[in-house]
Amino acid sequence: QMKIDTGIILYPSTRALAYLDIFKKNKLFPKEIITMGDWPFINQDLIDEDNKYNYSQKYFSLNSYIIDYIIENDIKHFHVSDVNINSKELVNLLDSKRCKEYIFTGGGILRSDVLSKNVKFIHVHPGNIINYRGSTCFYYSYLNQKLIECTTFYMSQNIDRGDVLNISRININLTINSDQKLFIDYILDPTIRALSLQRFLRLNADKKINQINTFENSDCYLIHPALRYLFYKKINENYNPKINSGIFIDDK
């Protein structure tokens, strides 16, 4: 078991649950946890899908026993009622004397005055930011290249710009049924980010920062439902029943 010097801000989201799962599985503990809003927060539709498709066993637990985890592992904990990442309540809590960096799990776009504080924010972006910036990037990269990558980086005042810590490649081999309406956004997206975070945390002792000054594509915008369908169709077409099914990090 190892406690790292990084804190984590837990916005009530399945991304936060997926990140917590990575800490638990790797017996790593953040120096500090800040929870936002109300927990637990999973809605009934996702609970029903989980019961049918066993997401909690295959990917990450949707049971958010966050307070038990904090108490059992003696982790410093703060709570804010607001779910806005720029809220005064949260910003006043951030303290570089306790944590010089925090893992970001959502809650909005960080304002420049927050980013200019003497703390850094680690973000996992679901795309290679050399090629894909903006929203729902993994849809576009998979449709274009049959490829999903994630970039872990320190956030800056320009959206999807910053010092890159790691770029991971994700392999997907699975089928998605038509009634798995919440799977892509609430399970697949958090899982690929969490696997990338895991890779970064394992490499953290040899943390290297790379400046990315080039951008070789146009910004991505929220994907159209027709393209979402093509993504879902292509995932199913590419499924290979002869190899392991699931979502995997490519450590090559």
Side-chain angles (χ1 to χ4, degrees):
Q1 296 184 353
M2 184 174 71
K3 188 168 281 191
I4 63 173
D5 287 333
T6 303
I8 185 168
I9 304 168
L10 294 177
Y11 174 79
S13 63
T14 53
R15 190 195 314 179
L17 295 180
Y19 287 9
L20 267 180
D21 212 55
I22 289 302
F23 275 96
K24 291 176 183 178
K25 286 174 180 173
N26 290 275
K27 297 183 178 177
L28 294 170
F29 302 101
K31 186 173 184 180
E32 172 179 307
I33 291 177
I34 301 175
T35 50
M36 302 176 69
D38 296 325
W39 293 62
F41 53 85
I42 300 297
N43 66 36
Q44 190 60 46
D45 288 342
L46 186 53
I47 291 170
D48 291 344
E49 258 190 53
D50 180 32
N51 289 336
K52 183 171 183 179
Y53 289 103
N54 207 12
Y55 297 149
S56 290
Q57 285 295 321
K58 292 179 181 175
Y59 304 106
F60 58 89
S61 175
L62 295 176
N63 296 314
S64 53
Y65 301 118
I66 181 66
I67 297 304
D68 290 345
Y69 172 72
I70 288 165
I71 293 170
E72 286 168 9
N73 298 292
D74 193 27
I75 300 169
K76 191 181 291 290
H77 172 237
F78 300 90
H79 177 75
V80 298
S81 56
D82 207 316
V83 291
N84 182 341
I85 196 70
N86 298 297
S87 72
K88 199 167 185 180
E89 189 183 6
L90 174 62
V91 172
N92 287 341
L93 268 179
L94 301 175
D95 187 344
S96 62
K97 293 187 178 119
R98 293 198 315 267
C99 291
K100 296 192 180 300
E101 58 186 31
Y102 291 87
I103 296 167
F104 171 85
T105 64
I109 297 172
L110 285 164
R111 286 198 317 252
S112 58
D113 60 316
V114 181
L115 286 165
S116 63
K117 285 180 70 74
N118 192 30
V119 295
K120 292 181 177 180
F121 297 88
I122 297 170
H123 178 44
V124 184
H125 168 73
N128 184 328
I129 62 170
I130 299 171
N131 300 301
Y132 295 95
R133 290 172 177 163
S135 179
T136 54
C137 292
F138 68 90
Y139 286 92
Y140 294 98
S141 65
Y142 192 81
L143 287 170
N144 289 338
Q145 302 169 278
K146 194 185 160 186
L147 177 66
I148 290 179
E149 293 177 295
C150 284
T151 306
T152 305
F153 66 98
Y154 284 130
M155 299 171 83
S156 73
Q157 297 192 21
N158 295 312
I159 294 175
D160 293 342
R161 312 288 195 278
D163 294 334
V164 171
L165 300 164
N166 183 252
I167 297 176
S168 298
R169 181 172 291 191
I170 309 294
N171 296 321
I172 293 179
N173 186 51
L174 47 78
T175 56
I176 305 170
N177 295 320
S178 59
D179 63 343
Q180 291 181 264
K181 298 187 184 303
L182 302 175
F183 175 74
I184 294 174
D185 292 331
Y186 294 95
I187 302 297
L188 175 62
D189 179 312
T191 298
I192 65 175
R193 296 188 200 230
L195 288 171
S196 300
L197 177 66
Q198 174 177 264
R199 187 167 190 267
F200 162 69
L201 292 171
R202 286 177 174 174
L203 298 172
N204 202 26
D206 303 315
K207 188 184 293 182
K208 295 176 182 175
I209 293 176
N210 299 301
Q211 296 281 349
I212 301 293
N213 298 316
T214 59
F215 183 51
E216 300 167 3
N217 211 331
S218 58
D219 286 336
C220 298
Y221 296 95
L222 189 63
I223 199 158
H224 189 277
L227 290 176
R228 282 175 64 95
Y229 173 73
L230 290 177
F231 171 85
Y232 152 88
K233 186 179 177 188
K234 193 167 186 177
I235 288 274
N236 287 344
E237 287 172 351
N238 290 330
Y239 174 66
N240 182 353
K242 295 180 180 178
I243 62 175
N244 287 339
S245 175
I247 306 169
F248 310 100
I249 193 87
D250 186 346
D251 276 325
K252 293 177 184 176

